[in-house]
Amino acid sequence: MFLFSIGTIYFTVIPLYQKALLDEQIARKEADLIRTQGLLDAAQSKVRLSFLGTFVFNAGAECSGLLVPPPPMAKLGDDLSKRETYAKKILAINPVQCMNDVFASSLLKQDLGPQDLAIVQNAISRIASELEKSRQKALARYENAGGISFKPNAQAALDPSTQSMFEVLRRVDPSLDYEALLMQAAISKEQASAAEDYSKEVRSKISELRNLHWNEGR
């Protein structure tokens, strides 16, 4: 009977106890693995957000024209009609090509998994398409600056300090074509405003990428 009891313990109780210990160890390892995976996902998320922020900054600066150097000061006698204005240089940037070029060389693209890559590319495509429509409107506004309906309001379009400067010029040199100078200044101001408003929209639209909803499974 004693030997039977020992055999029962050896062949039933001990294996059950060992299995319970093994199950506990497995459960502990699984909990550690889940915790480690959570920490890894959190770290990857921070890295991805950092890469995304860098892309938004670079694309916003590049595609809005912030990195376009201003043209040199005009000299007396220069034919201003043949000079490419600072505003025109900004409006010449194609947002579709620009955003895709910046993304192609970004760390963000290298970090993304297939599903998140598709999410970002779709968002970039949508925003770039919207910006191209805005750019065409801004170009039309640029080209139409100084239209017939604009001429009667040329002086009103200038800020007070510029108006005062032209008044001084007229008194100093009465031979100057004051109306022509005034009109040209008003046109330049309208063209610059068209480019500036568009440039601000580019940065605002691109910053929307910060609100992307990612695929948790990457």
Side-chain angles (χ1 to χ4, degrees):
M1 188 68 179
F2 176 73
L3 293 175
F4 178 77
S5 298
I6 292 177
T8 300
I9 293 173
Y10 183 80
F11 289 107
T12 60
V13 177
I14 292 178
L16 288 174
Y17 176 69
Q18 290 175 333
K19 182 178 183 304
L21 286 178
L22 182 60
D23 289 343
E24 183 181 351
Q25 290 175 342
I26 291 174
R28 195 179 301 123
K29 292 294 184 182
E30 288 178 344
D32 290 342
L33 181 60
I34 292 173
R35 184 164 52 251
T36 302
Q37 185 62 48
L39 293 173
L40 180 60
D41 288 344
Q44 288 177 327
S45 179
K46 288 182 180 180
V47 170
R48 182 175 54 190
L49 287 175
S50 175
F51 288 161
L52 177 62
T54 300
F55 169 72
V56 168
F57 176 82
N58 290 341
E62 185 75 34
C63 304
S64 70
L66 284 181
L67 302 183
V68 174
M73 293 289 292
K75 299 177 182 178
L76 287 176
D78 285 352
D79 187 351
L80 298 182
S81 64
K82 295 182 179 180
R83 283 172 58 92
E84 184 179 28
T85 64
Y86 182 58
K88 195 63 176 287
K89 288 182 178 180
I90 293 175
L91 295 176
I93 300 173
N94 185 305
V96 176
Q97 180 179 345
C98 179
M99 290 187 69
N100 284 329
D101 287 347
V102 175
F103 182 64
S105 61
S106 69
L107 291 174
L108 177 64
K109 183 178 181 181
Q110 301 173 27
D111 174 70
L112 295 176
Q115 290 179 314
D116 281 341
L117 179 62
I119 290 173
V120 174
Q121 287 178 324
N122 288 337
I124 288 176
S125 178
R126 173 182 58 79
I127 290 173
S129 178
E130 293 173 358
L131 287 176
E132 177 57 19
K133 293 177 182 177
S134 297
R135 184 175 78 99
Q136 293 302 322
K137 291 179 180 178
L139 280 169
R141 178 182 169 189
Y142 178 95
E143 297 298 340
N144 293 332
I148 296 176
S149 61
F150 184 72
K151 291 181 180 179
N153 303 313
Q155 183 164 350
L158 299 176
D159 57 86
S161 61
T162 303
Q163 293 182 32
S164 298
M165 180 189 70
F166 277 105
E167 287 292 343
V168 171
L169 286 175
R170 182 163 62 173
R171 288 196 294 269
V172 171
D173 188 353
S175 66
L176 289 174
D177 188 342
Y178 175 74
E179 295 300 329
L181 289 174
L182 192 67
M183 183 64 183
Q184 185 56 53
I187 290 173
S188 296
K189 182 176 183 296
E190 172 66 7
Q191 291 175 333
S193 294
E196 182 180 357
D197 291 346
Y198 169 71
S199 180
K200 289 179 180 178
E201 183 179 357
V202 171
R203 293 191 295 277
S204 176
K205 281 286 186 182
I206 292 177
S207 69
E208 292 178 5
L209 289 168
R210 297 182 185 275
N211 302 320
L212 279 179
H213 296 289
W214 303 96
N215 174 29
E216 294 301 328
R218 290 176 60 82

